[in-house]
Amino acid sequence: MNVQAKTFTDDLGRDVEVPDHPTRIISLYDVDVTIPLIELGVFPIASHGRIGLDGTPYLRSSRLLTGVDFDNSDIRYIGSTEIDLETITALAPDLIITAPGRASAIEPLQAIAPTVSLDAARLGGPHVYQKLAELTGRQDALKYLEARYQANIAALKRNLNPSDISVSVLQPLNGKINIYHTYRSLGRVLRDAGFKFPALIDNIAPSGRLQVSPEYLPDLDADYIFDPFRDDRNNGAKAEIGAMNDIFPDFCRFLRACRDGRYILVSREIAISNSYGALSMMTALITSHIVADRFRPPYGPTTKSPENAPKS
């Protein structure tokens, strides 16, 4: 039976003949291909993944965001740092989706099945979702995901005036401070809502990141600072603060946001994703933290209640 095909231009500028309705997709990037496919309602037959400390393969962040992982689905694990090309061949895919910088080169993959490369790191999550929806015919599913996200952003704006609030996203990494122009789902929500960023972050290229030495820490201060920590590890939040203190001892004293209790630790496993599930979670987290801080009732637990307070 002849399979209808269409020409698809991938992010390497290659024109690839792909099936009009692929049914046996293999994903070579769990975070930026597999999770978006699942959210669009398409389950790949196999995927790149990670190996946990106990030796069990898993899809990074997927269980948190979609509930789907290798152990509760028919998605087959095909490797992490090295991809098993023989296994891919035996699975008889009709489409392979990869990304720049993945372990396997395009040429041997293309010899197995039509292969396209999508670049979320350079072109962003919305672009990749549009491309995946085009590949799989799931434009309607994407329309509903986007409508939900825009409704969340609108609700955030109804409760806050983001243009009057400064924010910063940073994390300790290898003895330096790691910053991005837009930190995946966390950064996208903050920018789409219209929050202000320090000049040091705004001056980074839109798809770029920068590592700066500790003396730049005061330049990253803001009304609210978000620090994505490894919540997939025991004591991850404690380790994150320890790493910050290793870089800049007693760092909290030098940041107004931290001194005022506005240094907010967020899940890196969620924030690192481009998924719509992550966008919803980040929108809710940002809203709840900032609304609770800015509109906290004036009578705290150590403050004497007014005379006309309701009796319990």
Side-chain angles (χ1 to χ4, degrees):
M1 181 176 66
N2 293 328
V3 176
Q4 289 188 326
K6 60 188 175 186
T7 301
F8 179 86
T9 303
D10 74 0
D11 293 341
L12 296 177
R14 302 161 57 252
D15 289 333
V16 183
E17 291 296 308
V18 301
D20 200 28
H21 299 287
T23 59
R24 298 186 60 79
I25 298 173
I26 288 181
S27 163
L28 297 192
Y29 197 3
D30 54 357
V31 171
D32 282 339
V33 177
T34 307
I35 289 176
L37 282 172
I38 293 170
E39 284 198 323
L40 290 170
V42 178
F43 278 59
I45 61 170
S47 175
H48 153 272
R50 320 291 167 115
I51 295 293
L53 295 177
D54 62 355
T56 302
Y58 67 97
L59 294 164
R60 184 177 184 184
S61 304
S62 184
R63 193 181 296 271
L64 286 169
L65 298 169
T66 70
V68 178
D69 215 328
F70 292 118
D71 64 355
N72 65 2
S73 74
D74 292 328
I75 302 174
R76 181 164 175 174
Y77 170 69
I78 53 170
S80 52
T81 56
E82 294 184 4
I83 302 299
D84 187 342
L85 295 179
E86 290 186 4
T87 299
I88 291 178
T89 302
L91 288 170
D94 57 7
L95 178 64
I96 300 171
I97 307 175
T98 186
R102 294 290 91 194
S104 298
I106 288 282
E107 291 76 14
L109 295 170
Q110 185 68 42
I112 300 171
T115 302
V116 299
S117 180
L118 301 180
D119 193 347
R122 181 171 61 90
L123 299 173
H127 166 83
V128 169
Y129 270 82
Q130 289 168 5
K131 287 287 193 176
L132 288 173
E134 178 185 344
L135 278 168
T136 60
R138 300 294 294 176
Q139 291 91 341
D140 283 348
L142 177 57
K143 177 180 66 176
Y144 298 134
L145 289 170
E146 182 64 22
R148 182 182 69 183
Y149 173 58
Q150 293 302 330
N152 281 326
I153 291 294
L156 186 157
K157 289 181 175 181
R158 284 195 295 270
N159 288 286
L160 296 168
N161 188 2
S163 63
D164 292 337
I165 302 170
S166 62
V167 296
S168 188
V169 181
L170 56 84
Q171 59 187 180
L173 184 66
N174 300 325
K176 293 190 175 182
I177 300 168
N178 195 43
I179 53 177
Y180 290 74
H181 179 273
T182 303
Y183 192 99
R184 295 289 187 127
S185 61
L186 172 58
R188 181 179 169 191
V189 170
L190 292 170
R191 290 206 176 270
D192 286 353
F195 289 95
K196 297 185 298 183
F197 284 80
L200 187 60
I201 292 177
D202 264 340
N203 290 335
I204 301 173
S207 61
R209 71 170 184 169
L210 186 66
Q211 288 188 358
V212 298
S213 53
E215 59 262 29
Y216 283 94
L217 188 63
D219 295 326
L220 296 170
D221 205 356
D223 293 324
Y224 299 88
I225 295 176
F226 297 88
D227 180 350
F229 74 98
R230 292 292 299 267
D231 66 339
D232 60 331
R233 298 177 177 177
N234 293 334
N235 298 312
K238 183 178 179 180
E240 187 78 2
I241 296 301
M244 282 297 299
N245 276 316
D246 289 342
I247 292 173
F248 200 118
D250 206 12
F251 77 95
C252 197
R253 289 181 52 198
F254 301 92
L255 295 172
R256 171 175 52 89
C258 196
R259 293 194 306 270
D260 293 345
R262 297 171 179 167
Y263 191 97
I264 302 165
L265 291 169
V266 302
S267 165
R268 189 180 305 180
E269 296 306 289
I270 297 173
I272 199 67
S273 172
N274 280 316
S275 74
Y276 279 91
L279 290 170
S280 291
M281 291 183 185
M282 290 295 101
T283 306
L285 179 144
I286 291 164
T287 303
S288 62
H289 273 282
I290 298 182
V291 166
D293 178 70
R294 297 182 85 82
F295 301 105
R296 183 179 293 114
Y299 299 104
T302 59
T303 303
K304 185 178 179 180
S305 299
E307 293 181 0
N308 60 349
K311 305 295 184 189
S312 58

